[in-house]
Structure formats: structure tokens, C-alpha cells
Amino acid sequence: MERKIDPNGGHDGRYGFDGGSSRNDSEGLLTGELGLDADVVAAISYVLWFVSGIAVYVLEDDRTLRFHAAQSIVVFGGLWVLNVFFGVFAIVGIGSVGAALSSLLSLLGVGLWVFLVATAYRGETRRIPVAADLADRLAGEETRRGSRGTTNDDALAALRDRYARGEIGEEEFECRLERLLETEHDDRNRRRESPETERSW
């Protein structure tokens, strides 16, 4: 089985993976039962700020989609908490300072919202400093349906993440990917042959 990688992050149906996201492995309720495209679900995770992030995080098993959802929760949940905190300023008599800070946060939130929705819909995974590290921890947890947490899937996800972060070059990425896919192919062949081997005994 051969699968090609587009190292530049584009996707047009010829590639099994792109830009660190997995397009064909999603088995969540949104991508599976409702049949939504993974890019659409990634964008949805930001549309209603942390509320839609929580929904996608709960309903999806794909690690990349869970990362988008977790990043939405951390970024927009954090902005909401800060807005509430600055709202307290008005109560203690320094409302002008609180209002100014709240306005700046609102502008920042709208800018991030447009940026993350647009890039996620284009199939890009953009990492917001600090928030992305927290999102990695959330997305790295075992999924609700543990059947998808195979060693090969974890290795592929880790490899894509390392390439996306620039820790390994394109040549090394493609070489390691090819080896992983060959291993996966061999494992599937062994599983197909095992029933015949058992019958022969």
C-alpha cells in the first residue's frame, strides 16, 4: 500500500496525510455518522469559541481534530476568563481601565477567531503559543473509543507532529513515513494469513 505525503501541507485527494492532519482516520460522530469533512469539523471547533471546542473534543476521536478543539477551549476559554476578571475592575471603581483591557481582549479574540476558523477550514493546523502546548496535552490523552489507539497510529501522529514543528526535515520525514507504512502493510498481511495458518494446524 502506497500513500503519498504533500510536505507543503496542501491536500487535493492524492495524499493520505497533509500538514500533520489525518484525513482518512476520523471515526467520530461528526466525521463518521454525519459525514462532515475533517476540515469543516476543525473549523467548527472554533466557530462558537470554547463551546464548539468542547463539543468537537467530546464527539471526535481523531487526534488532529481533538487538538483543534482543545486549542479552541484553551484560547477562547482563557480569553473569556480574562474578560470576567477585567470586568471585576469596574466593580472596584476602576472601570475605565477594565473597559480598555476588555476592549483589547475583544479585538484580540475576534482576530484569533477569524484566523483560526479560516486556517482550519483550509486544512492548516496553526499553533497559538502557550495554548498549543496545553492543547497537545489534552489531545494526546486516550480517546473515548480506545480501539483506535494502536501503536502505528501513535507513531504516525508523532512523526507528523515532529515534521510540522520543524524537528525533522522533509527527506527524513518521508523516509520514516515509508518505513511506518511498510510495517503497517506487513502487519495487515500477517493478520490475513493467520486464519489459514491456524486451519493448517
Side-chain angles (χ1 to χ4, degrees):
M1 177 184 72
E2 283 188 23
R3 280 195 255 183
K4 297 281 186 180
I5 285 290
D6 177 6
N8 297 318
H11 66 286
D12 58 4
R14 293 175 297 168
Y15 303 100
F17 307 107
D18 67 299
S21 62
S22 53
R23 303 287 157 196
N24 300 322
D25 294 335
S26 299
E27 293 180 1
L29 295 177
L30 299 175
T31 50
E33 294 184 15
L34 295 184
L36 297 177
D37 186 77
D39 292 338
V40 174
V41 176
I44 287 173
S45 65
Y46 298 108
V47 167
L48 296 179
W49 288 40
F50 64 90
V51 176
S52 54
I54 292 171
V56 172
Y57 187 84
V58 169
L59 297 174
E60 287 297 321
D61 281 337
D62 179 79
R63 190 180 186 279
T64 300
L65 294 179
R66 285 168 68 83
F67 169 80
H68 283 291
Q71 185 165 247
S72 175
I73 294 167
V74 174
V75 170
F76 297 118
L79 288 174
W80 180 79
V81 169
L82 285 174
N83 256 320
V84 171
F85 175 75
F86 291 139
V88 176
F89 281 24
I91 299 174
V92 296
I94 45 177
S96 58
V97 175
L101 292 173
S102 182
S103 296
L104 285 174
L105 276 178
S106 296
L107 287 174
L108 176 64
V110 171
L112 282 172
W113 179 77
V114 171
F115 173 74
L116 289 170
V117 170
T119 54
Y121 185 72
R122 291 200 302 264
E124 301 172 15
T125 300
R126 297 304 177 115
R127 299 175 59 82
I128 305 303
V130 181
D133 294 332
L134 294 172
D136 277 334
R137 295 180 188 177
L138 287 172
E141 293 176 358
E142 283 189 29
T143 59
R144 292 180 303 108
R145 304 173 188 84
S147 59
R148 297 186 62 249
T150 64
T151 303
N152 240 19
D153 288 342
D154 292 341
L156 284 169
L159 180 62
R160 293 195 299 269
D161 285 345
R162 289 189 65 194
Y163 177 72
R165 291 180 185 138
E167 294 176 10
I168 59 174
E170 179 181 334
E171 203 171 314
E172 184 180 356
F173 171 72
E174 291 180 347
C175 180
R176 292 190 181 195
L177 177 69
E178 188 175 346
R179 267 182 280 165
L180 278 171
L181 294 178
E182 284 175 1
T183 302
E184 182 183 8
H185 182 60
D186 292 341
D187 288 343
R188 287 181 180 176
N189 284 339
R190 277 197 293 272
R191 282 198 295 270
R192 287 193 195 114
E193 291 169 2
S194 60
E196 294 180 7
T197 305
E198 288 173 6
R199 282 195 296 270
S200 67
W201 286 96

